Amino acid sequence: MSELTSVTADLATTRFNQAYEDLRNLIISGHFQPNVRLTDAELTALLDVSRGTVRSVTARLAQEGYLTSEPNRGVRTRLFSVDEAIEILEAREILESALAGKAAERATDEELEELAALCDQMASAEYDRQEAEYSRLNRAFHKLVRDSARQPILTGFVDSLVYALVMRQYRSLTRKHPQRDALNEHRAILYALQTRNAEAATAAMRHHVSSARRALLLSTETVPDNDGLKIVNDEADTDVSA
């Protein structure tokens, strides 16, 4: 391979990776409504990449569960049935609680200090009613717990659940965010990690994450739309407190 060919290949990889991250973040943040068709022309302009790169990116995101592919019709954003949503959140409960137990055994002192700092920052965000900031910190807290477990296979399973899309679709905009007691639940997880109590960390995380599923069940008790589903999308960069 010539030097010019190598540079060209590197640039193409960089463009692909950037476009992938950009589109994935747009999907997670709620830029698109559920079940919306995304055209190559629209995404080419939005991401400022070639049509070929767009098709490679959407193929990967469809494989990962962020999009659904339609033969000869392009892709759509995911739409989850109530049963699918509950199953995904139940799987998340099992996986994240197992990771919390491992984190209690393996987290470094520096990671525990960072988790404590995140809890303090979440308390400030909650007090100031900064929902988007609270959600960002919440995601950082959960990610750090997963990273502290040092279980890449289990972490990969959690990432593959695309549960953030489920919560964005079903989160009721009329309910208080973050959910009541969410911060105390984070602090209970933190305390279990700090005391190196794997059983307590597992139980505390299971209880905390299950609150997201309970909130979803409450949100679906309202009058359904024409498809039999309650679909709620929040344009702000927020998700549920779990």
Side-chain angles (χ1 to χ4, degrees):
M1 180 183 294
S2 69
E3 183 177 347
L4 178 59
T5 302
S6 178
V7 170
T8 301
D10 289 343
L11 287 173
T13 300
T14 300
R15 290 193 191 97
F16 171 85
N17 290 337
Q18 186 62 57
Y20 166 82
E21 290 295 334
D22 289 347
L23 183 54
R24 179 176 174 275
N25 289 336
L26 286 170
I27 293 169
I28 291 174
S29 69
H31 181 82
F32 306 104
Q33 294 285 336
N35 201 34
V36 169
R37 182 169 176 259
L38 305 179
T39 66
D40 288 350
E42 173 190 6
L43 295 179
T44 297
L46 182 64
L47 302 173
D48 192 25
V49 292
S50 69
R51 189 177 294 255
T53 299
V54 162
R55 289 180 175 175
S56 296
V57 166
T58 55
R60 177 175 170 182
L61 288 169
Q63 185 179 32
E64 294 176 350
Y66 292 92
L67 301 171
T68 56
S69 179
E70 300 179 316
N72 303 316
R73 297 190 65 185
V75 295
R76 285 183 177 273
T77 50
R78 284 287 298 274
L79 177 67
F80 300 91
S81 69
V82 174
D83 288 342
E84 284 178 320
I86 291 173
E87 186 173 350
I88 287 170
L89 295 181
E90 286 177 340
R92 184 194 173 204
E93 287 176 35
I94 295 169
L95 295 171
E96 289 233 32
S97 59
L99 286 165
K102 288 295 183 182
E105 300 171 354
R106 300 179 177 182
T108 65
D109 291 341
E110 290 77 14
E111 286 167 335
L112 293 175
E113 289 175 3
E114 187 175 349
L115 286 167
L118 285 169
C119 278
D120 290 341
Q121 292 169 43
M122 278 192 284
S124 296
E126 182 179 44
Y127 181 82
D128 294 333
R129 298 183 180 180
Q130 297 177 342
E131 294 188 5
E133 177 64 5
Y134 184 97
S135 290
R136 185 190 69 79
L137 295 166
N138 171 66
R139 291 192 295 271
F141 182 93
H142 281 267
K143 182 179 186 304
L144 184 53
V145 172
R146 294 194 296 269
D147 290 346
S148 300
R150 290 168 176 79
Q151 290 276 330
I153 293 177
L154 278 181
T155 298
F157 288 151
V158 173
D159 292 339
S160 71
L161 293 175
V162 296
Y163 63 87
L165 301 187
V166 172
M167 300 317 304
R168 182 163 296 285
Q169 178 178 323
Y170 282 99
R171 179 185 166 229
S172 172
L173 301 184
T174 63
R175 292 176 64 82
K176 181 180 181 296
H177 175 77
Q179 300 291 337
R180 184 170 59 86
D181 296 330
L183 183 59
N184 288 336
E185 291 169 5
H186 282 96
R187 292 198 184 281
I189 295 167
L190 174 64
Y191 180 75
L193 296 175
Q194 289 172 327
T195 56
R196 304 293 182 179
N197 189 328
E199 286 189 13
T202 299
M205 182 63 82
R206 186 71 177 262
H207 172 73
H208 172 59
V209 177
S210 70
S211 66
R213 177 170 52 82
R214 293 194 299 271
L216 182 149
L217 289 172
L218 286 173
S219 75
T220 58
E221 291 175 356
T222 58
V223 178
D225 65 7
N226 292 334
D227 293 324
L229 297 175
K230 180 186 185 332
I231 300 171
V232 178
N233 184 268
D234 184 2
E235 291 296 333
D237 184 20
T238 57
D239 57 11
V240 297
S241 55

